Amino acid sequence: MSEMRVIGIRVNEPQNQPVLLLRESDGERYLPIWIGQTEATAIVLEQQGVEPARPLTHDLIKNLIDALGHTLKEVRIVDLQNGTFYADLVFDQDLRVSARPSDSVAIALRAGVPIYAEEPVLAEAGLVMPDEREDEVEKFKEFLESVSPDDFKATDG
């Protein structure tokens, strides 16, 4: 299992599909996850420190967790099946709730908790981008031009 950091949200052209880009904190692999526009907006707003006048859905979820007396410990991206990623919200007393990675990351950013990816997920979908001296954003843009979500669907074999 590797701790991941959020690089940011990019848009895959020409489909205008947001992509969440994670990178190993102590490694070279990147993990791109295609997500919805609403979740992308929630992640970007939190990264930019924008506080909406009223709580957005992910803010509400964090507020509910706090109000119910629980503590979110971490988020784990636990599986990849047929091109779909799966995540768990891990709470105190090892309580786990399954969630989409996009929602999980948006909540993790608000709660200030670490994000991890299981090794089998990274082995299947993690990417090493060459020439570490280049700017991460530029490397990712080049990568997006060469792939589609179908490239991450599991194959029999």
Side-chain angles (χ1 to χ4, degrees):
M1 181 167 58
S2 293
E3 185 169 356
M4 308 298 288
R5 63 184 172 94
V6 178
I7 299 298
I9 302 293
R10 306 296 180 259
V11 177
N12 186 14
E13 300 293 339
Q15 300 92 351
N16 255 1
Q17 179 73 37
V19 180
L20 167 63
L21 182 63
L22 304 173
R23 182 175 185 208
E24 284 181 299
S25 294
D26 295 323
E28 299 178 341
R29 292 178 290 187
Y30 291 80
L31 188 62
I33 302 174
W34 276 257
I35 64 174
Q37 187 61 50
T38 303
E39 295 78 18
T41 300
I43 291 168
V44 168
L45 289 176
E46 185 63 23
Q47 282 190 306
Q48 294 177 347
V50 175
E51 291 189 33
R54 298 290 299 145
L56 299 177
T57 302
H58 299 96
D59 301 309
L60 173 63
I61 292 170
K62 186 210 176 282
N63 293 343
L64 283 169
I65 292 166
D66 293 342
L68 294 172
H70 287 281
T71 303
L72 180 64
K73 297 291 187 184
E74 62 190 37
V75 162
R76 291 186 184 182
I77 300 169
V78 296
D79 202 3
L80 174 60
Q81 296 178 17
N82 299 319
T84 301
F85 289 89
Y86 294 82
D88 284 346
L89 299 169
V90 181
F91 295 91
D92 47 347
Q93 301 173 1
D94 204 33
L95 172 68
R96 293 173 185 249
V97 176
S98 181
R100 296 181 304 183
S102 55
D103 291 322
S104 299
V105 167
I107 295 166
L109 289 173
R110 284 159 173 76
V113 300
I115 301 163
Y116 296 97
E118 299 285 346
E119 184 56 37
V121 174
L122 283 169
E124 184 173 343
L127 304 166
V128 176
M129 294 186 210
D131 195 2
E132 287 298 319
R133 293 170 291 153
E134 290 182 34
D135 178 40
E136 289 176 353
V137 173
E138 290 306 313
K139 290 188 297 181
F140 188 58
K141 285 180 181 176
E142 291 173 16
F143 162 72
L144 285 178
E145 291 173 5
S146 67
V147 298
S148 73
D150 292 335
D151 292 333
F152 295 94
K153 291 188 177 169
T155 58
D156 295 333

